[in-house]
Amino acid sequence: MATGEWFLVLFTVLSQMAVGYLIFVVRPVAGRQNPVLTWLLPAGLLGLALLVSLGHLGHPEGAYRALSNLSSSWLSREVLFFALSFLALVIAVLSERRQNAAAARTAATFALGTGLLGVLSSSLIYLLPARPAWNNFQTILSFFLTSFLLGMALAALVKQYRPEVPVGFSPSTCGFVVSLLLLLSLISSASYLTFLAAAGPEARITLNTLLASPWWWLRVVTGWLVPLSLSYRLLRQEEGSPSITLSLFIFLLVGEFLGRALFYGTAVALGIG
């Protein structure tokens, strides 16, 4: 995998986690004053993601040109939506500091909406007929699954250590939902492997590369099997467990990083097979 693609791995995973976190905190903040951390955390993650994304550019000083093709480029739209989401989160942080909860929630709701559009734009960038392994619905689904899984795990972790931050679910609900999301991820990945087997020589190269890679099997363990075990244990606990929640977040994060690295590193262009 090219060096620049590692920046894309970091950018996509961090940005999707920030948006996923917002999914689970925007609604519960209604009608109350909230800790600044509520918005500072996703703002920091998204700001870091945008900064990291500059590493993929040959000339980072020309990053503003990425906005020049909004009418035809999903990349331009991705940059716009995530930039708007980040700016809205900065406004939410400043509003919360000034104890203007209504303005903070309005800004955060806008950040969530533009963030979700950013995740969608990110996925649509890769629907390229020239790369069969990317040109299917699994790309879109996997990007949103990353967002929901990491967002919920991060929100649950924050709730364990900073209970004053509003989170709209209990630990047992987190365990239940994460288990369902992991099962959906497993089923969709199995379907994806079946698709690769039947989609042509380039797709079959991707399939063979995946199954022969120790990183794929490490992803299976860290991203699916261990989190499923941990989420089941969390499901049975009403009060939650800081150690289980932290372990769940770490394993999911490692698994999603590995999965995204494999996404970039194993796709084969038409004509190579």
Side-chain angles (χ1 to χ4, degrees), residues 102-142:
R105 183 172 187 269
T106 299
T109 302
F110 180 81
L112 173 57
T114 51
L116 288 170
L117 289 172
V119 174
L120 178 61
S121 299
S122 291
S123 65
L124 292 175
I125 290 171
Y126 300 102
L127 295 191
L128 303 172
R131 292 189 180 263
W134 290 351
N135 193 36
N136 54 81
F137 185 70
Q138 172 67 14
T139 298
I140 300 173
L141 180 60
S142 66

Side-chain angles (χ1 to χ4, degrees), residues 82-117:
F82 280 134
L84 289 174
S85 185
F86 174 69
L87 290 174
L89 284 169
V90 171
I91 293 172
V93 170
L94 296 175
S95 299
E96 205 70 71
R97 284 187 182 278
R98 295 172 182 171
Q99 299 187 343
N100 189 340
R105 183 172 187 269
T106 299
T109 302
F110 180 81
L112 173 57
T114 51
L116 288 170
L117 289 172

Side-chain angles (χ1 to χ4, degrees), residues 178-199:
V178 167
S179 295
L180 289 182
L181 291 172
L182 286 169
L183 289 173
L184 174 60
S185 180
L186 271 169
I187 293 169
S188 68
S189 294
S191 299
Y192 174 64
L193 296 179
T194 303
F195 161 79
L196 291 177

Side-chain angles (χ1 to χ4, degrees), residues 10-268:
L10 289 167
F11 165 69
T12 55
V13 172
L14 290 176
S15 61
Q16 289 159 24
M17 177 165 56
V19 174
Y21 172 84
L22 285 173
I23 293 171
F24 297 103
V25 298
V26 165
R27 186 173 177 273
V29 303
R32 55 175 289 178
Q33 195 71 39
N34 301 285
V36 174
L37 179 65
T38 307
W39 315 124
L40 188 61
L41 179 57
L45 286 171
L46 195 49
L48 178 59
L50 290 168
L51 184 63
V52 164
S53 71
L54 297 177
H56 180 62
L57 302 177
H59 299 281
E61 68 278 2
Y64 66 91
R65 297 193 188 96
L67 294 172
S68 61
N69 295 304
L70 289 173
S71 62
S72 59
S73 169
W74 284 111
L75 175 61
S76 293
R77 295 164 192 161
E78 174 196 51
V79 173
L80 175 65
F81 287 135
F82 280 134
L84 289 174
S85 185
F86 174 69
L87 290 174
L89 284 169
V90 171
I91 293 172
V93 170
L94 296 175
S95 299
E96 205 70 71
R97 284 187 182 278
R98 295 172 182 171
Q99 299 187 343
N100 189 340
R105 183 172 187 269
T106 299
T109 302
F110 180 81
L112 173 57
T114 51
L116 288 170
L117 289 172
V119 174
L120 178 61
S121 299
S122 291
S123 65
L124 292 175
I125 290 171
Y126 300 102
L127 295 191
L128 303 172
R131 292 189 180 263
W134 290 351
N135 193 36
N136 54 81
F137 185 70
Q138 172 67 14
T139 298
I140 300 173
L141 180 60
S142 66
F143 276 38
F144 276 98
L145 280 172
T146 296
S147 192
F148 276 85
L149 280 167
L150 292 183
M152 190 169 209
L154 179 60
L157 183 63
V158 170
K159 184 175 183 179
Q160 285 294 318
Y161 291 95
R162 293 291 298 272
E164 69 273 19
V165 174
V167 174
F169 55 81
S170 66
S172 59
T173 300
C174 175
F176 177 72
V177 174
V178 167
S179 295
L180 289 182
L181 291 172
L182 286 169
L183 289 173
L184 174 60
S185 180
L186 271 169
I187 293 169
S188 68
S189 294
S191 299
Y192 174 64
L193 296 179
T194 303
F195 161 79
L196 291 177
E202 294 83 7
R204 284 194 292 274
I205 291 175
T206 296
L207 174 63
N208 293 333
T209 303
L210 278 174
L211 296 181
S213 171
W215 298 110
W216 165 258
W217 298 106
L218 183 61
R219 191 266 192 272
V220 170
V221 174
T222 61
W224 287 314
L225 299 183
V226 174
L228 270 171
S229 173
L230 291 170
S231 61
Y232 176 72
R233 291 176 63 188
L234 200 60
L235 171 62
R236 303 179 66 182
Q237 298 193 21
E238 285 299 327
E239 299 300 321
S241 165
S243 61
I244 293 177
T245 306
L246 176 60
S247 298
L248 177 63
F249 173 73
I250 291 173
F251 276 102
L252 284 173
L253 185 61
V254 171
E256 293 304 312
F257 269 120
L258 288 173
R260 194 57 47 82
L262 289 165
F263 172 83
Y264 286 108
T266 61
V268 176

